[in-house]
């Protein structure tokens, strides 16, 4: 980095004088703050809200931490002081942020609320999941008093079709005085989102940065060669794909290897080998050294020449589409290659859990060991400390000893099927540089702070539940964003493995494009409707919903369509003038001609219609022809000239009519869905409408205010009709599980034989019948309805709630421990709601059921 000029130093000093809090905060950080971070802090110091959109690993959270710093500058007086909430989309991220903030401000000042964890909830700094804050707002919680700042980390989750609405609810309902700090991955419509935030929250600064703090080198792994994806020789501005890769793709036949070597010697010149490059590469930014290997791409930035060396190893031949033979390295050999090239630690993204676990086994069987004896001792001590509360019999079921041995080798997998405790250990060891290689699904890329030196993508497609699809440029950016550790690495590395049919041009397009739009998934729910009506009444609730980002985006689209309509109407007027006839109304005449033409086409097309239908159509055609011939314009000598303009007129008019329909459909979309939701609630007597049109909640409606989730209406109706009151604790836990569980597409239910008997069967049948009636009612009101009750986990949850051992339960569940824990915690969330809103006998049962489920691996918490 060059020294700043006198003018730059003067500007920096002026900024520091006008923003002294930012200057002091920046001076306390380990790194010099980047311009986008300083801009975000300045906006907050000036009293504005802020949206910061920047790449993964760029340091967005610094701006959120500055907001907390502002809240904590003044000590609490009389037990009261400014508060700051830090919200995250997932519990693992909340736990991580909770520990980080405790390290800065101390345990007494920081709390954690994640639904199943409540630690120091009245603290001045509280980390929470977004759903917890949404529930606080609807309940008008006392914890909101004194709230000055809310940080919404990973706010691009707003696009999530299942949970995204929660982010919009919070943004709309936060008190006006609260400053909002929205932190997002790089999205292509950040300005649009910022405009909406400015509309609903007031003065909001939008700060967008696409600069990675650690440059990214892009490589393609062909056999044992790491070839640069981009070629600098064509010039920085053109960012051309490395022509050697294009030649490899086009070469055919058994002479591929000779051709490849000849091509490399012709095109690349003298290039450093990867092994030799290790002495040239600086492993830390502090050294100031720079290794110019690989092909860098920073969205139009620099690309350097290739550095590489083929490595021998067990190789598996694959055939490309043009029959060339290319050897693909096995995973252990790729790991060895990266180790020799000083490119560890690395994350291999594999888009299946089974693939991640199989990869770890491959490396284990190959005998690869990436750790020193001292590191292995440290790993064992950390693992034993972090898992000491888990029972020995459970550890045996979970494959603990093999997992520990893999960790001691420096290798691990990371996916949703792992026990949360195990995932947290892997994350911790990787950040400590003790685990060197992690095989992970893409869920690791969502928010967890776990950067690597290198990211390896084995394929550029994944299974989306229905078919194999190519990953998007946004997903590619999110995954490769993990490469490069600030303050440790001079550059990060993305390695794409050559696969059959790989097109380097397509890879380059993925790496270059920045198309990741943020689109709202907001839709009104029954719980949302009763809470809004209770607080504001129906009319005001409609207005509030029309301020959602969903409606904002729809309205913006409407503005564009309306502009097209206005321009088209001017053209229509011109066409109408051009076809004016002094004999009569040519618009009327041309409409008859058009109807006649359409009828004749239909007659020719539907030749197999019945005799009666054809006769009717012939009479219609004859009638239209008589009307046309009798019309005054039919005898006009310029008739066909006018008709040509008329044809253009009618063609454009059809287009304009379609655009008008689009406008009508999009205008007030959210409010119309809200009206349908309210109509269902009125019909079921959750909401009453007075003679003057005012609305109020019934006792059942007031109960629904505190029922959250996809099944809010079904749960509320089940409570009101009393169909669960005969259940014991284990059966209630099982039924709650059936309401939250979402089976895989190919999953078959357990059948009648696998379901618990007695009162559970009776309650389940009643619940299924109730769901069917509600689904029919929703269909009648043009609402999408919900999926039927899923019993796939019923047997296993019943066994767990009755105290059966983990080994038996996982066999019955036929799922990984991590998945079972996730569904168990969602079951606990619902049981907790029931314990608060149900009548006394059922509420007591719900509390017992909750305690029965929250045990063993489900009860484990690392915080």
């Amino acid at each position: 980095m060059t020294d700043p000029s006198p003018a730059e130093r003067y500007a920096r000093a002026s900024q520091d004088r006008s923003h002294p809090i930012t200057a002091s905060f920046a001076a306390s950080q380990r790194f010099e703050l980047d311009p986008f971070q300083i801009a975000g802090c300045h906006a907050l110091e000036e009293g504005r809200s802020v949206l910061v959109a920047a790449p993964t690993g760029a340091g967005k959270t610094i701006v959120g931490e500055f907001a907390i710093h502002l809240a904590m500058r003044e000590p609490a007086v009389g037990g009261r002081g400014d508060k700051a909430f830090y919200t995250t989309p997932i519990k693992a991220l909340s736990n991580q942020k909770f520990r980080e903030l405790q390290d800065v401000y101390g345990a007494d000042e920081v709390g954690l609320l994640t639904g199943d964890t409540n630690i120091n909830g009245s603290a001045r700094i509280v980390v929470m999941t977004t759903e917890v804050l949404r529930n606080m707002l609807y309940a008008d919680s006392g914890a909101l008093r004194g709230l000055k700042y809310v940080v919404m980390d990973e706010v691009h989750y707003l696009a999530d079709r299942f949970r995204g609405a929660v982010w919009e609810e919070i943004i709309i309902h936060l008190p006006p005085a609260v400053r909002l700090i929205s932190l997002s991955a790089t999205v292509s419509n950040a300005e649009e989102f910022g405009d909406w935030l400015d509309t609903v929250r007031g003065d909001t600064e939008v700060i967008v940065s696409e600069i990675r703090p650690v440059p990214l080198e892009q490589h393609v792994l062909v056999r044992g060669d790491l070839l640069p994806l981009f070629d600098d020789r064509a010039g920085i501005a053109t960012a051309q794909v490395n022509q050697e890769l294009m030649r490899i793709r086009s070469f055919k036949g058994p002479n591929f290897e000779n051709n490849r070597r000849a091509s490399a010697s012709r095109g690349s010149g003298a290039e450093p080998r990867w092994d030799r490059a290790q002495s040239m590469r600086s492993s830390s930014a502090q050294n100031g050294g720079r290794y110019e290997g690989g092909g860098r791409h920073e969205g139009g930035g620099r690309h350097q020449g290739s550095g590489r060396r083929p490595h021998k190893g067990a190789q598996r031949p694959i055939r490309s589409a043009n029959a060339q033979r290319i050897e693909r390295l096995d995973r252990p050999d790729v790991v060895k290659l990266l180790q020799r090239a000083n490119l560890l630690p690395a994350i291999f993204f594999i888009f299946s859990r089974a693939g991640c676990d199989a990869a770890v086994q491959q490396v284990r069987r190959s005998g690869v060991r990436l750790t020193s004896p001292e590191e292995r001792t440290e790993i064992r001590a950390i693992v034993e400390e972090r898992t000491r509360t888990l029972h020995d019999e459970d550890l045996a079921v979970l494959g603990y000893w093999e997992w520990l041995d893999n960790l001691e080798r420096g290798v691990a997998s990371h996916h949703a099927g792992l026990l949360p405790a195990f995932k947290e250990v892997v994350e911790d060891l990787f950040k400590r540089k003790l685990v060197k290689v992690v095989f992970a699904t893409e869920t690791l890329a969502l928010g967890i702070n776990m950067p690597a030196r290198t990211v390896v993508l084995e394929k550029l497609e994944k299974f989306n539940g229905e078919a194999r699809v190519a990953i998007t440029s946004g997903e590619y950016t999110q995954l490769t964003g993990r490469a490069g550790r600030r303050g440790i690495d001079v550059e990060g590395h993305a390695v794409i493995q050559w696969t059959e049919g790989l097109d380097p041009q397509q890879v380059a397009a993925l790496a270059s494009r920045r198309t990741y739009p943020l689109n709202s998934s907001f839709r009104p729910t029954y719980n949302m409707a009763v809470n809004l009506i209770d607080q504001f009444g129906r009319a005001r609730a409609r207005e509030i919903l029309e301020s959602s980002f969903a409606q904002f985006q729809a309205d913006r689209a409407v503005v564009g369509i309306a502009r097209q309509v206005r321009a088209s109407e001017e053209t229509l007027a011109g066409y109408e003038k051009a076809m004016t006839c002094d004999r009569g109304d040519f618009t009327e005449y041309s409409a008859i001609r058009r109807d006649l033409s359409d009828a004749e086409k239909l007659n020719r097309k539907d030749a197999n219609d019945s005799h009666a239908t054809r006769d009717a159509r012939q009479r219609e055609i004859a009638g239209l022809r008589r009307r046309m011939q009798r019309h005054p314009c039919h005898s006009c000598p310029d008739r066909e000239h006018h008709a040509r303009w008329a044809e253009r007129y009618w063609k454009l008019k059809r287009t304009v009519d379609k655009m008008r329909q689009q406008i009508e459909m999009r205008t007030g979309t959210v409010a119309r869905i809200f009206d349908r939701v309210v109509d269902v609630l009125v019909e079921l007597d959750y909401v009453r409408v007075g003679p003057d049109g005012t609305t109020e909640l019934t006792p059942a409606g007031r109960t629904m205010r505190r029922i959250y989730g996809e099944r809010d209406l079904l749960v509320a109706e089940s409570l009101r009709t009393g169909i669960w009151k005969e259940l014991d604790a284990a059966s209630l836990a099982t039924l709650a599980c059936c309401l939250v569980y979402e089976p895989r597409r190919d999953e078959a239910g357990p059948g009648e034989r696998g379901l618990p008997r007695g009162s559970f069967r009776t309650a389940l049948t009643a619940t299924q019948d109730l769901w069917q009636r509600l689904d029919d009612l929703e269909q009648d009101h043009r609402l999408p309805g919900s999926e039927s009750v899923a019993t796939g986990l019923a047997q296993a949850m019943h066994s767990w709630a009755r105290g059966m051992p983990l080994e038996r339960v996982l066999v019955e569940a036929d799922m990984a421990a991590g998945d079972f824990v996730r569904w168990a915690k969602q079951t606990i969330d619902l049981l907790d709601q029931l314990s608060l809103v149900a009548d006394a006998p059922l509420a007591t049962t719900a509390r017992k059921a909750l305690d029965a489920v929250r045990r063993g691996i489900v009860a484990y918490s690392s915080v």
Side-chain angles (χ1 to χ4, degrees), residues 641-669:
H641 173 73
H642 296 327
R644 283 192 292 273
W645 286 107
E647 185 62 32
R648 296 175 190 174
Y649 172 87
W650 287 110
K651 187 176 181 180
L652 181 58
K653 189 174 186 305
R654 282 189 174 180
T655 302
V656 170
D657 288 343
K658 286 181 180 178
M659 288 193 289
R660 286 197 179 108
Q661 285 179 346
Q662 284 183 296
I663 291 173
E664 188 177 342
M665 288 172 60
R666 294 190 183 201
T667 303
T669 305

Side-chain angles (χ1 to χ4, degrees), residues 335 339 344 360-372 375-377 379-380 401-412 429 434-437:
V335 170
Q339 184 184 31
L344 297 182
V360 173
Q361 292 306 315
Q362 278 183 282
V363 175
R364 175 191 177 90
R365 287 195 299 269
S366 73
V368 169
R369 191 178 290 278
L370 306 172
T371 54
S372 67
E375 287 175 324
R376 291 195 283 277
T377 301
I379 288 169
R380 180 174 286 267
W401 300 110
E402 184 176 300
W403 174 70
L404 175 58
D405 182 64
N406 291 331
L407 292 176
E408 290 181 350
R409 291 173 181 271
V411 182
L429 294 177
L434 295 171
V435 164
K436 320 291 184 179
V437 171

